[in-house]
Amino acid sequence: MGTGQGGDDAGRPADAVRPGGPDLRSETSRLLAFSDGVFAIVITLLVLDLQPPDVGRGRMLHALVEQWPAYLAYLTSYLYVAVSWLNHRTTFHRVAGSSRGLQWWNLAVLSSTALLPFATSVVSTTMQHGDRSDQRAAVAVYGLVGVLLSGAWLGLYHYLGRHHDLLHPAVPTGMYPAERLRALVGVVAYVLAGLLGFLVAPPIALIVYLALPVFYASTSEGLYGLRRRVRGSG
């Protein structure tokens, strides 16, 4: 992951924009603005896959009900994008500086997120009109996109864990090394769901795909935040 060690300060990436430096505000604000734009476009593309059925008179209600796979695919992906946006905002609100490596990992997260409309369309189309072989392939494709996205988050958390100097001083040192576990859960879960959907039954994969955004929503503030809430309620 070319971290570019070797700046003026020991352990600081040579390409880092230092916290408090003159370019900090513009670098972090531009990164967030661009990222928010990508998330907004992805959500817009998701809804474009929902089309009114082309049917004869008197068959609209039945045709709308038959489109349930499209609604389920949209809901699953919308929740995933929404939770990814929440995770992204939470992550970068803790960032006090920027670096080229951080920017590349952020682009990796965005590029894999941008694949979700394609995977969603494949699943909704094949679940409505494809045979069992097509459906197996579709859930495998969705699982692959999930693995890529979770892997990108894993890389981002790993990078921030190694470059704590880019974070606000109040952020605990062990936060992002611990956050890698959340991303790793996604990698493993999407691999298993994709395999089970392809080899056993596609609905198994769909259930896991819908459940994963719920897990990430409940931990959107990070495992540290979840741990505090659990202790506070105990």
Side-chain angles (χ1 to χ4, degrees):
M1 268 190 316
T3 57
Q5 297 282 352
D8 295 335
D9 300 328
R12 181 186 298 279
D15 58 351
V17 178
R18 298 182 183 180
D23 295 330
L24 170 62
R25 186 182 301 275
S26 62
E27 285 293 324
T28 55
S29 62
R30 288 177 63 190
L31 185 149
L32 282 172
F34 176 76
S35 301
D36 286 346
V38 172
F39 282 116
I41 292 172
V42 170
I43 284 182
T44 302
L45 292 176
L46 284 175
V47 77
L48 292 179
D49 193 49
L50 298 178
Q51 299 290 333
D54 184 13
V55 295
R57 296 179 61 180
R59 291 186 49 81
M60 179 60 69
L61 179 60
H62 178 72
L64 286 172
V65 173
E66 284 188 332
Q67 284 192 164
W68 68 265
Y71 310 143
L72 179 61
Y74 169 77
L75 176 62
T76 301
S77 293
Y78 183 91
L79 287 175
Y80 199 7
V81 175
V83 171
S84 293
W85 180 79
L86 289 173
N87 283 325
H88 189 273
R89 298 293 288 182
T90 301
T91 296
F92 281 92
H93 280 167
R94 294 171 176 146
V95 172
S98 184
S99 72
R100 188 61 56 85
L102 179 62
Q103 293 163 2
W104 275 112
W105 278 115
N106 182 62
L107 288 171
V109 169
L110 297 178
S111 64
S112 51
T113 302
L115 292 173
L116 278 173
F118 164 72
T120 303
S121 180
V122 170
V123 169
S124 64
T125 300
T126 55
M127 293 301 293
Q128 293 178 81
H129 309 296
D131 58 15
R132 183 50 64 94
S133 176
D134 294 332
Q135 294 170 3
R136 292 176 188 272
V139 296
V141 168
Y142 197 99
L144 176 60
V145 172
V147 169
L148 293 175
L149 182 51
S150 298
W153 277 106
L154 179 61
L156 176 63
Y157 289 151
H158 181 70
Y159 187 86
L160 289 174
R162 292 186 60 189
H163 299 290
H164 193 262
D165 54 290
L166 296 177
L167 304 176
H168 288 291
V171 177
T173 304
M175 170 165 284
Y176 284 108
E179 289 306 283
R180 290 179 298 192
L181 177 60
R182 296 175 66 235
L184 188 58
V185 167
V187 172
V188 174
Y190 277 110
V191 168
L192 292 178
L195 288 175
L196 288 173
F198 185 79
L199 299 175
V200 182
I204 296 177
L206 297 179
I207 293 173
V208 177
Y209 296 157
L210 184 59
L212 279 171
V214 176
F215 164 73
Y216 285 116
S218 65
T219 60
S220 61
E221 295 181 6
L223 295 179
Y224 272 67
L226 178 62
R227 195 176 304 162
R228 286 197 301 268
R229 290 198 300 271
V230 170
R231 289 176 178 174
S233 61

